[in-house]
């Protein structure tokens, strides 16, 4: 059984940095597209960062230049490090993973991700 568990969220002031983690069990991120999504109150869920089996990373315009997505060497933990946080970054951050090997993240819609975590809340105050 695949399980994703996020951690690292919290309440911070604008301008701060955070590193979110997504630990997986029953699965390895080696060959799959994995991504971070976020959803603020009253907003649609947004894919903010992704990394595929080739290591290609992509970022949404809203976080590009402020976020870095990465995997640990064991390929069982996904990270996103965000700096210069803004109040508009306030959201529930969720990691998600594809269930089919070697698909490009750019070819996947939100509904293509087979596995989801419960999310970790990030709140940024001005």
């Amino acid at each position: 059984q695949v399980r994703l568990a996020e951690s690292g969220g919290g309440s911070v002031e604008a301008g701060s940095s955070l590193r979110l983690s997504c630990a997986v069990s029953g699965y390895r991120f080696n060959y799959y597209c994995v991504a971070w999504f976020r959803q603020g109150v009253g907003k649609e869920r947004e894919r903010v960062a992704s990394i595929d089996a080739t290591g290609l990373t992509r970022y949404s315009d809203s976080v590009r230049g402020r976020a870095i997505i990465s995997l640990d060497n064991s390929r069982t933990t996904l990270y996103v490090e965000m700096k210069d946080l803004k109040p508009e970054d306030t959201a529930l951050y969720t990691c998600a993973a594809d269930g089919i090997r070697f698909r490009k993240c750019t070819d996947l819609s939100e509904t293509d991700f087979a596995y989801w975590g419960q999310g970790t809340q990030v709140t940024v105050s001005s």
Side-chain angles (χ1 to χ4, degrees):
Q1 183 178 0
V2 178
R3 185 165 178 264
L4 280 66
E6 301 91 340
S7 61
S11 296
V12 298
E13 293 185 350
S16 300
S17 299
L18 277 179
R19 187 176 77 162
L20 306 182
S21 301
C22 171
V24 67
S25 57
Y27 182 95
R28 281 181 179 264
F29 292 129
N30 298 54
Y31 307 114
Y32 305 92
C33 169
V34 290
W36 284 97
F37 290 80
R38 71 182 182 185
Q39 188 169 21
V41 174
K43 298 181 181 180
E44 292 187 358
R45 188 154 57 188
E46 172 190 23
R47 187 187 320 182
V48 294
S50 64
I51 183 168
D52 68 16
T54 68
L56 180 65
T57 58
R58 288 192 176 271
Y59 301 92
S60 65
D61 289 343
S62 60
V63 304
R64 187 174 294 113
R66 300 189 296 120
I68 299 175
I69 188 171
S70 62
L71 294 167
D72 73 335
N73 289 336
S74 69
R75 297 295 193 265
T76 57
T77 305
L78 176 71
Y79 302 102
V80 65
E81 186 160 1
M82 297 185 64
K83 64 180 181 180
D84 190 22
L85 285 162
K86 305 174 182 180
E88 51 263 44
D89 294 318
T90 295
L92 182 69
Y93 286 74
T94 307
C95 60
D98 190 9
I100 299 176
R101 291 185 175 190
F102 300 122
R103 293 200 295 185
K104 296 179 181 179
C105 293
T106 51
D107 291 340
L108 303 181
S109 65
E110 185 177 314
T111 57
D112 289 320
F113 288 85
Y115 307 111
W116 294 82
Q118 295 298 309
T120 184
Q121 179 68 35
V122 173
T123 302
V124 184
S125 59
S126 57

